[in-house]
Amino acid sequence: PFSTTASVQVNPPKKKAPVGKPHQLNRGAKQTFTKKKRKVEGIDRSRRPAIGERKALRKRVVLSNTNALEVNGLQDISQENLVDDRSRGQVLAIPGAVVDQLRAVEAFKVAQGWGMYSRPAMLVRRETGDYARMMDSLGKGVVRRVLVGERGSGKTVMLLQAMAIAFLKDWVVINIPEEYSPINPNSLPTTYSQKTYTANLLSTISRANPILETLQLSRSVPQPTSFPGTAPLPSIPNNISLARLAQLGAADPENAWQIFQNLYRELTAPGRPALMLCLDGLAHTMCNSQYRDADYKPIHAHQLTLIEWFLGHLSGKKNLPNGGMVLAATSESNNPPVPSLRLALAQLEGNQQVQKDPYRKYDERVLGVFDKGGAVEVQRMGGLLREEARRVMEYWAQSGVYRERISEEVVGREWVISGGGVVGELERACVRMRI
């Protein structure tokens, strides 16, 4: 009942390859030998970044954008239009020479968004006009002020605007940058100088203040006697400019602090221009630094010579004979907890609800900076007015970074969303969340 037939159309089975070594050849065939390259594991042949390249890329500040639209009719700031009430609420451009000076003192920050526009410009707030008029009528007086406020309220930008006004008025501006460098003990009680840090500061002072080229050294530079073991100060000619004196200190870190002291002595001599001293991130100067002494105990920031010098002017213990301003700003984005500073600023601001906690230890060195009655003022930076918010939104629209039609309804909505015109939140809602 069952039958089978042979397969006719099926392909024949393939022959199995001979089992043997793969390199085995037939007898009599020619054979060539090639040397195999041995793989070396664990070696990274990619290009490593040069020394300082990552830091330079991290700190790079872009101040212009060729793809941004040019704003027609954008005027430059000047001494005249800053004190004019008609300029309040307008966006004015910063001149190129002032931009170079602000870049030299590191007034521009990386996260401020200057690279989204064709050129740097600033909103003339009511506080901006107040600073301009204050500098006109200051004379030999000294203003000591700490800027406080919530995150994004414009404290750092207000410092920048104050420095820009000072540059327009040919003041000498010294901005203490946020930097760390190696330290060296100086004297008893032990203070520590930052040689490279001070040398870099002298370099920025000479580049940012061209007025120093016109000021000559009025007296000979004495040999340093306060710090034992210090390298001997080289002979300095008596007829050089103050810019050249700063450059000599920048080129010689070993003697940078002594030259800085002599430069400051020259700047406070009679007939010199007014001084503006600025510092951002005040809380970092009110706590222990990252440094350790020989016994591995933390070094307080007040033991650093430059910080001690600045806080002496902020507290009023040191005076500016030719007048000027001492401005400091707190930071809410990079702010170490310092209860003593928070207590002192709250009491200076008139907040009676903030009192000493009996179960908390306070730093008397921090409280001593602000205990001199009336020497330090506290200025709280708030939000923009609706008219100021409308003007800055119109500037964003003309620059091409804001596409929505500007109306009272849109301005009111964005003003409320930004927490009452907080400029940082307003920029985030209008510009950064749409790019």
Side-chain angles (χ1 to χ4, degrees):
F2 298 99
S3 62
T4 58
T5 57
S7 61
V8 180
Q9 301 296 334
V10 177
N11 295 328
K14 294 183 179 180
K15 295 182 179 181
K16 294 183 178 181
V19 179
K21 296 182 181 180
H23 62 273
Q24 189 173 4
L25 300 176
N26 297 331
R27 183 175 298 177
K30 292 184 178 180
Q31 188 174 3
T32 57
F33 296 92
T34 57
K35 187 177 181 180
K36 282 188 175 183
K37 293 184 178 180
R38 180 180 297 178
K39 292 184 179 181
V40 181
E41 298 179 357
I43 297 179
D44 186 10
R45 301 186 182 276
S46 60
R47 176 185 171 273
R48 295 297 181 90
I51 297 177
E53 183 177 350
R54 290 177 178 172
K55 182 179 180 181
L57 186 63
R58 186 176 65 251
K59 297 183 64 176
R60 185 184 62 172
V61 179
V62 180
L63 298 180
S64 62
N65 188 353
T66 56
N67 296 324
L69 300 178
E70 287 282 348
V71 180
N72 297 326
L74 189 63
Q75 300 180 359
D76 290 346
I77 60 172
S78 63
Q79 300 185 40
E80 293 77 18
N81 58 18
L82 286 176
V83 297
D84 192 354
D85 291 335
R86 293 174 295 181
S87 300
R88 178 175 170 178
Q90 295 184 1
V91 177
L92 302 179
I94 305 177
V98 180
V99 169
D100 295 338
Q101 292 174 293
L102 292 173
R103 183 193 284 271
V105 297
E106 299 183 13
F108 297 105
K109 304 301 179 182
V110 177
Q112 287 178 341
W114 300 98
M116 293 187 293
Y117 312 102
S118 58
R119 56 180 301 195
M122 68 182 194
L123 174 67
V124 181
R125 305 176 59 169
R126 56 189 182 277
E127 295 88 356
T128 309
D130 293 342
Y131 275 105
R133 286 185 287 270
M134 191 186 304
M135 292 183 192
D136 282 343
S137 59
L138 191 59
K140 299 292 184 180
V142 180
V143 174
R144 298 174 175 88
R145 185 169 292 181
V146 177
L147 305 181
V148 299
E150 58 182 299
R151 181 177 180 179
S153 57
K155 302 180 292 295
T156 303
V157 176
M158 185 53 60
L159 279 183
L160 181 144
Q161 293 183 1
M163 285 188 275
I165 300 171
F167 282 130
L168 290 175
K169 296 182 178 298
D170 289 333
W171 286 21
V172 176
V173 178
I174 300 177
N175 183 35
I176 308 298
E178 304 173 24
E179 194 93 9
Y180 289 100
S181 69
I183 57 177
N184 299 89
N186 287 332
S187 60
L188 294 175
T190 306
T191 58
Y192 298 87
S193 64
Q194 300 162 286
K195 298 186 296 183
T196 307
Y197 182 86
T198 309
N200 294 336
L201 179 61
L202 287 171
S203 176
T204 60
I205 292 173
S206 63
R207 288 185 287 112
N209 298 280
I211 191 175
L212 296 181
E213 295 284 353
T214 62
L215 302 177
Q216 298 295 320
L217 196 64
S218 62
R219 65 193 87 175
S220 60
V221 178
Q223 292 290 332
T225 57
S226 57
F227 300 150
T230 311
L233 196 64
S235 59
I236 297 177
N238 296 329
N239 57 349
I240 62 174
S241 64
L242 297 188
R244 179 57 183 162
L245 178 64
Q247 292 171 4
L248 291 176
D252 186 8
E254 292 294 333
N255 297 303
W257 174 242
Q258 285 75 26
I259 294 180
F260 178 83
Q261 289 179 311
N262 288 281
L263 176 65
Y264 172 71
R265 186 186 63 174
E266 289 289 334
L267 291 175
T268 53
R272 301 300 192 185
L275 279 174
M276 173 173 280
L277 311 180
C278 297
L279 183 141
D280 196 7
L282 182 63
H284 290 279
T285 66
M286 299 293 175
C287 58
N288 290 329
S289 66
Q290 300 293 328
Y291 299 119
R292 300 275 178 169
D293 60 6
D295 298 329
Y296 204 70
K297 295 180 180 179
I299 297 175
H300 199 275
H302 289 196
Q303 295 179 258
L304 305 178
T305 51
L306 267 176
I307 300 301
E308 181 189 19
W309 173 83
F310 177 85
L311 294 179
H313 290 87
L314 181 63
S315 63
K317 297 177 182 177
K318 297 181 180 179
N319 192 24
L320 298 177
N322 300 315
M325 283 188 175
V326 184
L327 302 178
T330 59
S331 175
E332 294 297 329
S333 58
N334 184 15
N335 188 22
V338 185
S340 304
L341 176 63
R342 189 175 298 274
L343 172 66
L345 294 179
Q347 291 181 347
L348 286 176
E349 200 175 1
N351 189 355
Q352 301 298 331
Q353 296 180 355
V354 180
Q355 299 293 334
K356 276 190 174 183
D357 187 353
Y359 301 101
R360 174 171 285 177
K361 185 178 180 180
Y362 292 91
D363 193 346
E364 294 298 331
R365 289 175 291 190
V366 176
L367 297 177
V369 176
F370 305 98
D371 62 355
K372 192 173 181 180
V376 184
E377 305 172 7
V378 176
Q379 180 182 9
R380 179 163 292 277
M381 299 295 298
L384 303 177
L385 302 177
R386 286 186 181 241
E387 184 60 28
E388 295 174 344
R390 181 185 181 91
R391 294 291 182 86
V392 74
M393 290 174 65
E394 290 175 351
Y395 170 74
W396 293 337
Q398 293 175 4
S399 299
V401 295
Y402 186 64
R403 303 296 181 87
E404 196 167 347
R405 182 184 179 89
I406 306 297
S407 63
E408 290 296 333
E409 180 183 358
V410 173
V411 173
R413 181 192 66 197
E414 300 294 350
W415 186 84
V416 172
I417 291 176
S418 61
V422 177
V423 62
E425 299 298 330
L426 183 66
E427 184 187 25
R428 180 180 301 179
C430 297
V431 179
R432 295 184 182 269
M433 294 183 65
R434 288 174 168 80
I435 294 181

